[in-house]
């Protein structure tokens, strides 16, 4: 299936930024570990789901609760009676995006599973959840680990793309200024992509984690 195009650049790349910054010629370990390190430094991500009633997309800020699969499968606490669980029961496809103040970013796409197993909930339970879930005063829905409203959204990562840099803000600014003058795309990021096959290989290597 052909994609969108609005230009014919002949033999020249139409996306020089990506060509200049793409950095996939590194080991799988380095690609994954740099991704995991960046996600850990952000902690909060934007979770995007598809609204069941309209088909439109919606994003919510979510705190990362834990990781599995060697660090690439992401876990988030949820109220099982919330809109996001309705969305995911209709369409489990999901994206989690992370961004820091320097412009470094990561995007993890995959499929979500709503976990309500109490053993898993107890394993990852945090007392802070009570503030978000609330205590209804009926002895059951108390915001504790046995509250059936508390579940986990597990994101089984299928692909990931991220951009991180070792340059300082000043160094990046210089490169961008050069690019604006010369028309040559600046080399400011390490732009990396992890395929479904690579992530599956990594998870198989870390099945005990």
């Amino acid at each position: 299936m052909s994609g969108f195009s609005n230009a014919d650049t002949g033999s020249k790349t139409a996306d020089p930024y990506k060509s200049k910054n793409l950095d996939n010629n590194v080991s799988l370990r380095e690609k994954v570990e740099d991704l995991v390190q960046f996600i850990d430094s952000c902690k909060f991500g934007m979770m995007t789901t598809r609204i069941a009633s309209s088909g439109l997309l919606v994003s919510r800020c979510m705190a990362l609760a834990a990781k599995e699969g060697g660090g690439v499968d992401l876990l988030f606490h949820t109220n099982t009676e919330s809109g996001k669980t309705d969305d995911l029961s209709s369409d489990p496809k999901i994206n989690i995006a992370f961004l820091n103040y320097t412009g470094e970013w990561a995007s993890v796409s995959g499929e979500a599973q709503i976990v309500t197993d109490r053993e898993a909930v107890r394993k990852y339970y945090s007392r802070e959840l009570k503030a978000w879930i609330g205590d209804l005063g009926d002895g059951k829905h108390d915001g504790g680990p046995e509250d059936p409203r508390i579940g986990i959204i597990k994101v089984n990562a299928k692909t990931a793309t991220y951009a991180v840099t070792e340059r300082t803000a000043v160094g990046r600014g210089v490169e961008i200024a050069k690019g604006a003058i010369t028309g040559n795309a600046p080399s400011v990021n390490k732009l990396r992509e992890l395929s479904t096959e690579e992530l599956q290989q990594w998870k198989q290597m870390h099945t005990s984690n």
Side-chain angles (χ1 to χ4, degrees):
M1 184 175 66
S2 61
F4 177 83
S5 177
N6 194 46
D8 182 359
T9 59
S11 60
K12 296 182 179 180
T13 178
D15 189 355
Y17 164 79
K18 182 174 182 178
S19 299
K20 193 73 171 287
N21 290 273
L22 193 62
D23 183 41
N24 278 335
N25 191 28
V26 294
S27 68
L28 176 59
R29 175 175 294 277
E30 182 175 347
K31 283 205 288 187
V32 173
E33 289 183 347
D34 283 355
L35 170 65
V36 171
Q37 182 179 8
F38 177 71
I39 290 174
D40 285 342
S41 72
C42 293
K43 186 176 179 180
F44 292 94
M46 294 299 292
M47 174 183 290
T48 301
T49 60
R50 187 177 299 279
I51 302 172
S53 60
S54 67
L56 298 175
L57 301 177
V58 61
S59 298
R60 303 169 175 88
C61 183
M62 300 286 289
L64 183 65
K67 302 186 301 299
E68 294 182 348
V72 296
D73 289 338
L74 311 178
L75 280 68
F76 301 87
H77 292 118
T78 187
N79 184 331
T80 60
E81 311 310 300
S82 66
K84 55 186 171 292
T85 53
D86 290 339
D87 297 346
L88 293 171
S89 66
S90 173
D91 184 350
K93 293 182 177 61
I94 194 169
N95 178 268
I96 311 294
F98 299 90
L99 176 71
N100 70 14
Y101 72 97
T102 69
E104 296 176 308
W105 57 270
S107 172
V108 179
S109 294
E111 294 188 354
Q113 174 186 4
I114 302 171
V115 179
T116 56
D117 175 72
R118 299 332 293 171
E119 183 177 347
V121 170
R122 285 191 291 268
K123 179 179 179 180
Y124 296 116
Y125 179 78
S126 167
R127 286 182 295 178
E128 295 177 358
L129 287 170
K130 192 166 186 175
W132 298 99
I133 301 294
D135 185 345
L136 302 187
D138 59 3
K140 181 177 182 181
H141 304 97
D142 58 2
E146 304 306 316
D147 188 327
R149 296 174 299 162
I150 297 178
I152 294 169
I153 294 175
K154 179 178 179 180
V155 179
N156 297 297
K158 300 295 184 182
T159 63
T161 305
Y162 68 98
V164 294
T165 182
E166 294 178 347
R167 293 181 182 272
T168 63
V170 173
R172 295 176 72 190
V174 169
E175 285 296 312
I176 293 171
K178 286 181 181 178
I181 295 171
T182 65
N184 295 321
S187 177
V188 292
N189 290 320
K190 293 186 291 186
L191 180 63
R192 293 174 176 168
E193 299 170 336
L194 284 155
S195 68
T196 300
E197 292 74 22
E198 286 177 312
L199 288 174
Q200 185 62 33
Q201 178 185 348
W202 181 260
K203 293 178 196 183
Q204 289 175 347
M205 293 164 55
H206 296 80
T207 51
S208 62
N209 291 355

